Amino acid sequence: MAVAMASGSVLSAQVQQSLCELYQKYNTVFKPALAIVESTVQKFPAPVLNEIRAVNDHVARCFVVGKTEADYLSEIRKANGHLIRVTLDCYKIILMCYYDQVEDFKRAYCDVNLSLVGDGQFLPELTRLNGIAVDKAIKARRNESDAFPEKEQAYATYQDAILAYEDVLNYIKGHAKGLANAEQHAKRRTREENLRNWKFAVISAILGTLFGWLISDVLYFF
């Protein structure tokens, strides 16, 4: 279907095809990544909004009357450049959010004996999965640098890294019951240890007092 401008003129077939390809990438690659960002971050990142505005701004210039086909194609290439950058930004934001979630889990359970979870298999497998995710995230950043200026080639490695981190988080969620039991065990041991310490402190205080009285009595007779 031909795309007409307000003046009645029609964009060339090549320009229309380029616009279709641009928005196909927008819908099939960028929007799924954006949806994950929206669900994982509390405050929408300003750089992402700025890049989206830039994409739309360049597309809007394709409907300015009086420009040549080359001008329109140039605007679409610029829009595509912003779309690539914002897609990569979303991938990086997702990876940072997933990394933070894993680190939050480690901090929350640092005093819990995780060997009690999954018959002792939980921690080794978690370590293995997290190692894979970290390695893939590093590989994605390297591939992005190596792929310059064709940075779209780094999409696949970023997607692999994101899936690897999702494996880690899903693995943790899948052991929620075992983790809760291990956490309760840790709290119970902490209470028992605190009680033992309290008893020791009380007994020590009593013995210290008795010993003090005994010494006082001995000195009194001498």
Side-chain angles (χ1 to χ4, degrees):
M1 182 177 65
V3 178
M5 293 184 282
S7 63
S9 59
V10 178
L11 295 175
S12 71
Q14 186 176 358
V15 172
Q16 291 184 51
Q17 178 63 29
S18 296
L19 283 172
C20 286
E21 291 173 356
L22 176 72
Y23 278 105
Q24 184 178 19
K25 295 175 185 177
Y26 186 96
N27 287 320
T28 61
V29 181
F30 169 66
K31 284 183 69 176
L34 181 64
I36 299 176
V37 170
E38 290 177 317
S39 66
T40 53
V41 300
Q42 296 296 321
K43 185 177 180 181
F44 205 79
V48 172
L49 291 174
N50 291 336
E51 291 292 352
I52 294 173
R53 292 191 189 101
V55 171
N56 291 321
D57 182 61
H58 285 293
V59 170
R61 294 176 190 178
C62 292
F63 296 89
V64 174
V65 179
K67 290 191 174 184
T68 65
E69 181 183 79
D71 292 332
Y72 296 141
L73 293 175
S74 175
E75 295 295 345
I76 295 171
R77 283 194 295 273
K78 292 175 182 177
N80 187 60
H82 287 289
L83 185 60
I84 292 171
R85 281 195 290 275
V86 73
T87 301
L88 291 173
D89 284 346
C90 285
Y91 288 153
K92 293 170 189 175
I93 291 169
I94 295 167
L95 285 177
M96 285 189 292
C97 288
Y98 285 172
Y99 172 84
D100 287 343
Q101 289 178 32
V102 174
E103 292 302 304
D104 288 344
F105 168 80
K106 291 179 181 179
R107 284 189 290 270
Y109 285 84
C110 64
D111 295 326
V112 176
N113 184 5
L114 296 181
S115 66
L116 299 174
V117 183
D119 296 326
Q121 299 302 311
F122 172 76
L123 185 56
E125 181 63 9
L126 177 63
T127 302
R128 186 186 71 84
L129 291 174
N130 190 56
I132 292 173
V134 171
D135 288 344
K136 288 189 174 184
I138 293 172
K139 180 181 178 182
R141 294 301 296 267
R142 289 175 178 170
N143 281 1
E144 181 185 352
S145 299
D146 295 341
F148 183 82
E150 303 297 329
K151 290 195 172 187
E152 282 178 286
Q153 296 176 13
Y155 283 0
T157 48
Y158 271 110
Q159 291 164 0
D160 283 345
I162 289 170
L163 290 175
Y165 265 107
E166 288 179 349
D167 286 342
V168 177
L169 295 172
N170 288 333
Y171 185 74
I172 293 172
K173 291 176 183 177
H175 289 80
K177 184 176 181 180
L179 288 167
N181 291 337
E183 187 175 18
Q184 288 301 316
H185 181 269
K187 289 179 180 178
R188 186 164 56 251
R189 289 195 61 182
T190 300
R191 287 195 297 269
E192 291 172 354
E193 184 177 346
N194 289 339
L195 181 58
R196 284 195 300 270
N197 292 338
W198 178 81
K199 289 180 178 178
F200 178 78
V202 171
I203 292 172
S204 297
I206 294 172
L207 291 175
T209 301
L210 293 175
F211 186 72
W213 288 346
L214 179 61
I215 294 297
S216 297
D217 290 344
V218 171
L219 291 177
Y220 175 79
F221 287 111
F222 287 94

